Amino acid sequence: MTTPRIDYRALFTATPSPYLVLDTDLVMVEVNEAYLRATGRTREELIGRYLFDVHPDNPADPDADGVRKLQASLQRVMRSKEPDTMAVQKYDIPLSGRPGVFQEKWWSPINTPVIGDDGEVQWIIHRVEDMTDFLLTRSLRLKPGGPSGEHKAMEAELFARLQELQQLNEELREAHDRERRIALTLQKAMLHSPDLPGHREIAVRYLPATRSLNVCGDWYDVVDLSDERFTVAVGDVVGHGLEAAAVMGMLRSTLSAAVRATDEPGRAMDVLSLYASTFEGAMAATAAKAVIDTRRRHITYTCAGHLPPLLARPDGTVMWLDQATDPPLGVLPDLPQRPEATTPYTPGDTLVLYTDGLIERRGEDIDAGLHRLADALTLHTSLGPDQLADALLNRLGVADGGQDDIALIIVSL
């Protein structure tokens, strides 16, 4: 049986609910017949025009806030890439052909993103239901003592409570946005690496978990030890949110100071582990550190419960740096000095440090993720550090973030 070809343009045009399609600049690019009827407009009056030029707030209504609420919803959709349902609200519309004259209208809107092939929002579908007749006629028909008066009064009370809930929800969203901005500013400050801009051969990436507050316990660092030696590190603190980020900041600063004082990654990791054992939030955190000596052309590394760094050759060969691994930070603080290992490199090699969010997937053995990363490196060893970082994130399906946080360092040697 042959499946009939569907004319999706005709289907969209005939859809009974009012639909408007916006681009990411909030310019109207498509509209269906139901939307034209609901707003009393023609296509020529809408297509190609900025949404809020056509639908401004009613200047005669001092309480009008339709533009602010709709704009906030559309911005949330573009930021979160998730649909946003708005409560029923008053949003008067100007009458066509009668400048300055507005008609009272109540709407129930839903804004839905359309994601393009690049994973970004390409359009927004703005669907509304016109609730005006229901709301305006309901209040007029309430008759005390009438057979359905009590039921209708309950409806009116329910609508009033919904409006209050919407207002509280808006306040909660604004508070969440403020906290998110504060958290991102804090984390940006904590992840600042003053020596990184001097290393064009190094690329770093930091992606928070997609469902987190956009702050987490993963981190990276780059520290110059001399003209011929520098160190790179990544780490992972258990948990998400501001508490994990605060612990991350303390551990990162401690390791950065320790490696400057000792020059040896193993001894620096000992200092960090002893420090981590003094407070609960740092227990079981992991870290990997490597010191690169550009004159002797060798890498000295150590891992505290962390996944091994990778060294990729130009011919596609990938080597695991797994000869110096000990338990996570703070777990056994009385251990003798943590091991470190040294391996030579040749110009053109690439060193990769990362956290488990890059490769780990639910229900899958960690080895599968490690081999997937190695295979991706084999395919892209000819790329520069920035291009390679993006290629790995795309190849592993986490270019927009994953279920866990991700920190990644690429060093072109």
Side-chain angles (χ1 to χ4, degrees):
M1 178 179 177
T2 303
T3 303
R5 184 175 179 275
I6 298 176
D7 185 341
Y8 288 100
R9 178 174 289 277
L11 190 67
F12 175 78
T13 300
T15 302
S17 292
Y19 281 88
L20 174 67
V21 181
L22 303 163
D23 66 16
T24 53
D25 293 323
L26 306 185
V27 172
M28 295 177 278
V29 296
E30 192 52 88
V31 63
N32 71 347
E33 293 297 329
Y35 189 89
L36 296 177
R37 290 193 299 270
T39 59
R41 295 282 180 157
T42 65
R43 285 179 56 85
E44 291 71 23
E45 291 176 297
L46 301 179
I47 301 301
R49 298 191 61 190
Y50 179 60
L51 174 64
F52 298 114
D53 285 346
V54 177
H55 295 305
D57 277 330
N58 183 355
D61 182 359
D63 297 322
D65 58 2
V67 169
R68 179 183 64 80
K69 289 183 177 180
L70 179 54
Q71 196 167 39
S73 173
L74 295 171
Q75 292 298 327
R76 279 194 296 271
V77 168
M78 287 190 281
R79 186 171 59 246
S80 69
K81 302 178 185 179
E82 297 287 342
D84 189 73
T85 301
M86 303 176 67
V88 175
Q89 59 189 282
K90 185 175 181 290
Y91 195 150
D92 300 344
I93 60 172
L95 292 178
S96 181
R98 299 179 64 184
V101 179
F102 282 70
Q103 179 183 7
E104 182 176 351
K105 283 285 187 177
W106 292 81
W107 308 94
S108 175
I110 300 177
N111 299 306
T112 305
V114 178
I115 308 299
D117 293 338
D118 60 356
E120 298 299 321
V121 176
Q122 192 166 0
W123 297 291
I124 301 174
I125 299 174
H126 174 62
R127 194 203 83 181
V128 292
E129 294 295 342
D130 189 348
M131 307 293 290
T132 308
D133 288 344
F134 173 82
L135 291 169
L136 294 183
T137 57
R138 270 319 207 216
S139 59
L140 293 175
R141 292 176 182 173
L142 292 179
K143 296 181 180 180
S148 59
E150 182 178 350
H151 176 69
K152 292 177 179 178
M154 289 176 63
E155 289 180 343
E157 177 67 15
L158 177 60
F159 174 72
R161 299 290 78 76
L162 284 174
Q163 290 296 99
E164 291 177 4
L165 182 60
Q166 171 71 3
Q167 180 61 35
L168 291 172
N169 193 36
E170 287 294 326
E171 293 175 3
L172 183 61
R173 280 172 168 164
E174 290 175 3
H176 177 80
D177 285 343
R178 284 195 300 272
E179 183 179 2
R180 177 179 175 274
R181 288 193 297 271
I182 292 170
L184 288 176
T185 301
L186 172 65
Q187 187 149 42
K188 184 178 180 180
M190 288 192 296
L191 286 176
H192 177 60
S193 293
D195 296 333
L196 179 59
H199 290 273
R200 298 181 62 183
E201 77 280 14
I202 298 178
V204 298
R205 296 292 185 270
Y206 163 75
L207 288 82
T210 52
R211 298 187 182 277
S212 73
L213 183 64
N214 282 338
V215 292
C216 61
D218 284 21
W219 53 270
Y220 60 81
D221 199 12
V222 177
V223 176
D224 286 336
L225 301 178
S226 68
D227 291 341
E228 300 171 338
R229 300 173 73 238
F230 66 92
T231 178
V232 293
V234 294
D236 186 354
V237 174
V238 176
H240 300 92
L242 289 174
E243 183 177 353
V247 173
M248 173 274 288
M250 291 186 286
L251 294 182
R252 179 177 181 270
S253 298
T254 300
L255 184 57
S256 179
V259 78
R260 282 183 169 93
T262 69
D263 273 8
E264 298 177 18
R267 291 183 63 187
M269 201 69 79
D270 283 337
V271 173
L272 183 64
S273 185
L274 183 61
Y275 179 63
S277 68
T278 63
F279 55 101
E280 185 177 350
M283 294 294 288
T286 67
K289 175 168 278 293
V291 175
I292 295 92
D293 188 319
T294 59
R295 183 175 65 85
R296 298 178 181 176
R297 293 181 181 173
H298 67 225
I299 302 166
T300 303
Y301 64 92
T302 188
C303 297
H306 203 84
L307 295 168
L310 277 72
L311 185 63
R313 311 291 188 188
D315 64 0
T317 303
V318 176
M319 174 183 176
W320 305 101
L321 303 187
D322 57 1
Q323 300 304 304
T325 298
D326 249 16
L329 298 171
V331 174
L332 298 172
D334 296 328
L335 282 176
Q337 181 176 332
R338 287 181 180 264
E340 60 183 38
T342 299
T343 188
Y345 73 84
T346 57
D349 289 353
T350 301
L351 177 65
V352 180
L353 283 75
Y354 54 95
T355 56
D356 57 6
L358 181 67
I359 64 167
E360 196 171 27
R361 304 293 180 266
R362 289 180 181 175
E364 180 182 82
D365 189 85
I366 191 71
D367 287 340
L370 289 169
H371 288 296
R372 187 163 49 241
L373 173 58
D375 291 343
L377 269 175
T378 298
L379 293 173
H380 299 292
T381 51
S382 62
L383 297 178
D386 274 300
Q387 294 85 353
L388 178 56
D390 292 337
L392 292 181
L393 292 173
N394 278 299
R395 186 82 180 179
L396 297 175
V398 289
D400 294 317
Q403 294 296 317
D404 198 4
D405 323 315
I406 298 169
L408 172 65
I409 295 183
I410 306 288
V411 185
S412 181
L413 299 166

